[in-house]
Amino acid sequence: MAHTDDAARDDRKLAVFPTFHKVEGRRVVVVGEGEEAAAKLRLLNETRARLVVVAVSPETALLSAIEKSGAELVAEPFAPAHLQGAALVFAASGDEAVDTGVVRAARAAGIPANAVDRPEICDFYVGALVNRAPVAVAITSTGVGPVLARHIRARIEAMLPRETGDLARLAESFRTTVARVLTDGSSRRRFWARFFSGAVAANVEAGQPGAARTEAQKLLNGTAEDAGFVWLVGAGPGAEDLLTLRAQRLLQEADVIVHDALVPDVVVAMGRRDAERIAVGKRKGAHSVSQGEINRILVDEAGKGRRVVRLKAGDPMIFGRAGEELDALRAAGVAHDVVPGVTAALAAAASLRLPLSLRGVASSIVFATGHDRDGETLPAWGDLALKGATVAVYMGRTVAGRVAARLSEAGLSAGTPVAVVENAAHADEVVLAGSLADLGALSEREDVNGPVLIIIGDVVGAADLAAAGPLAASERAVAAA
């Protein structure tokens, strides 16, 4: 039993010890002529090393990598002298005998060596790299599962903002002052905890370095309040894998998630488990929370020093009333940012394999609503449809008949192709197809009650509509047939 326990504990011990080599300004040598050498050179180009490639007849991919990296090419057969002064060596010839010879020469010179796809002779492994210079994360499976390492890297890429390096550099610029002003260790730890998780970090990630530096100075002076931050985030059309990486990360960081009813529960559930959820959506024409109340919630929650994600279906800047919320945040002095999402028109077009613009057919695209602020149907975009624009109509099911009538009166042909997508990009997506003459029937269909996107224009003729149902047929008519 004791032997089994010892073996289990041993399985959890690493066969490698992770370290980071200093390579700035030092020679790093790659030996090889093909894609393996090119791949290593592209990775090494993420560093400030002096790169040297030893290759008699470099292939096209390697020549391209050499040009992009500015590496020195030594067009000679490998010799141990090529390793003089090197910090690291990579054997990437694809030939076992050559790679083994390179590794032996490196070891004789006391230089760590790696041989591509030959873990048994490597002195070190090359991890999957996440570069947020000066911050770096490397993941290794010690050679047994490189694909797994790449999958883990993708998850870390999603969680770690591109601006992490900017935040680290800002921290470095404050380090000496913080050590002088905050003399005890606990005060410094509290400062850095707030620095890396509060308004300073939020402003860096929002691309506002000046505001971030101001917040850091306030924090250091002891005058900083627990300033909150609001992100207006597009949740996309509903499919969780169409959420942007930034949106996923912010959901994990948010203290409060203020979400619309059209955002699926599975997307809202991607937030932190302990985050507060506030539903402010709209169902069947009735706001459960007024826009003014939503504005107040965002300002109040940020005023408590909380990180708030305002989660909107589709893209927040397309028919999402983001303008009113942004005005309220500006008026209250609340720091904020916007994260785009996949809007319904793009999701519907992707489902139908429908090019919204098509050479010789449509060179302009209109995103429109079925009615304006005052309830007027088709207030401004009819002429554009007549001129050949592709028109994507949001929230148009109940006014489909009036839209069709107004377009027909304006002169659009009754035979103009029309596609209707209900619940675009959802598992229960429904596609209907017909012509402008059929569009009026949509308002009467009792079997269509989800969010609807209507696409009008000749480009619909280029869509994949093999699985589409007839637009004019009702559920009862289909059943009777």
Side-chain angles (χ1 to χ4, degrees):
M1 183 66 177
H3 177 75
T4 303
D5 290 343
D6 289 343
R9 281 194 293 271
D10 195 57
D11 284 344
R12 303 202 182 282
K13 290 186 177 181
L14 289 168
V16 297
F17 184 77
T19 60
F20 288 87
H21 288 276
K22 291 183 177 181
V23 296
E24 183 174 10
R26 302 185 65 188
R27 283 168 55 93
V28 172
V29 179
V30 178
V31 180
E33 301 184 343
E35 177 56 40
E36 294 89 348
K40 280 292 174 283
L41 191 58
R42 287 192 288 267
L43 180 63
L44 289 164
N45 194 37
E46 301 275 344
T47 74
R48 297 177 184 173
R50 288 173 44 228
L51 304 177
V52 178
V53 177
V54 179
V56 176
S57 303
E59 296 177 5
T60 301
L62 180 57
L63 286 171
S64 176
I66 290 171
E67 182 180 0
K68 289 180 180 178
S69 65
E72 175 190 350
L73 173 61
V74 179
E76 300 172 359
F78 171 76
H82 293 136
L83 304 183
Q84 185 174 359
L88 297 172
V89 177
F90 292 85
S93 71
D95 182 288
E96 183 176 2
V98 173
D99 287 348
T100 300
V102 171
V103 171
R104 286 175 178 166
R107 286 177 179 164
I111 303 168
N114 173 276
V116 176
D117 292 333
R118 305 187 197 284
E120 68 281 359
I121 62 171
C122 289
D123 294 324
F124 64 92
Y125 298 116
V126 178
L129 179 65
V130 179
N131 181 0
R132 299 291 187 267
V135 176
V137 180
I139 307 100
T140 184
S141 62
T142 61
V144 300
V147 174
L148 174 61
R150 289 197 292 271
H151 278 291
I152 296 170
R153 173 199 170 191
R155 295 180 186 179
I156 295 174
E157 288 271 12
M159 293 188 296
L160 204 58
R162 286 283 171 190
E163 300 79 11
T164 298
D166 298 330
L167 183 61
R169 282 185 287 274
L170 180 62
E172 176 65 22
S173 72
F174 274 84
R175 180 176 296 174
T176 301
T177 305
V178 169
R180 186 181 71 249
V181 174
L182 305 177
T183 55
D184 67 285
S186 60
S187 295
R188 287 196 296 272
R189 284 191 294 273
R190 285 195 298 271
F191 171 87
W192 290 119
R194 293 182 67 186
F195 183 100
F196 288 118
S197 64
V200 177
N203 278 290
V204 168
E205 291 165 16
Q208 300 171 21
R213 183 169 288 277
T214 298
E215 290 295 335
Q217 195 63 57
K218 288 179 181 177
L219 189 60
L220 184 59
N221 295 340
T223 59
E225 299 176 357
D226 285 328
F229 202 97
V230 176
W231 291 270
L232 306 189
V233 176
E240 54 198 293
D241 57 350
L242 288 179
L243 211 62
T244 65
L245 297 178
R246 184 178 297 182
Q248 291 181 45
R249 175 175 55 78
L250 291 176
L251 282 170
Q252 282 293 310
E253 295 178 4
D255 303 308
V256 183
I257 301 171
V258 181
H259 62 92
D260 287 342
L262 290 179
V263 178
D265 291 342
V266 67
V267 173
V268 178
M270 294 172 75
R272 271 185 15 222
R273 276 182 289 184
D274 60 337
E276 181 180 356
R277 272 83 164 162
I278 303 176
V280 294
K282 176 182 179 182
R283 286 291 190 193
K284 296 185 178 179
H287 281 290
S288 58
V289 180
S290 70
Q291 186 60 52
E293 178 66 9
I294 293 172
N295 297 347
R296 187 194 63 76
I297 290 170
L298 298 180
V299 171
D300 286 355
E301 292 298 332
K304 298 173 186 175
R306 307 180 85 183
R307 293 166 294 180
V308 183
V309 163
R310 171 70 173 105
L311 194 60
K312 296 170 173 285
D315 182 278
M317 310 300 271
I318 298 179
F319 308 126
R321 305 189 77 170
E324 297 168 55
E325 294 171 7
L326 290 171
D327 284 345
L329 294 171
R330 290 190 197 103
V334 174
H336 56 272
D337 196 14
V338 179
V339 179
V342 177
T343 189
L346 303 184
S351 291
L352 300 178
R353 313 296 189 268
L354 186 158
L356 291 173
S357 63
L358 187 62
R359 184 162 36 178
V361 179
S363 59
S364 55
I365 306 164
V366 178
F367 290 173
T369 58
H371 44 77
D372 66 8
R373 181 175 180 177
D374 300 318
E376 174 67 18
T377 302
L378 198 64
W381 46 265
D383 288 345
L384 295 171
L386 290 173
K387 293 174 182 176
T390 303
V391 177
V393 185
Y394 290 67
M395 301 169 284
R397 184 180 68 85
T398 59
V399 295
R402 279 180 283 168
V403 167
R406 291 288 296 274
L407 286 173
S408 295
E409 291 167 6
L412 193 64
S413 168
T416 301
V418 173
V420 173
V421 182
E422 178 189 18
N423 295 323
H426 288 240
D428 57 349
E429 177 184 86
V430 174
V431 177
L432 306 171
S435 66
L436 185 64
D438 303 320
L439 184 56
L442 182 63
S443 303
E444 309 301 323
R445 292 189 64 148
E446 296 180 0
D447 58 324
V448 178
N449 48 39
V452 163
L453 193 288
I454 303 169
I455 302 177
I456 304 168
D458 290 336
V459 295
V460 174
D464 179 2
L465 299 173
L471 177 56
S474 69
E475 188 177 42
R476 289 187 296 273
V478 171

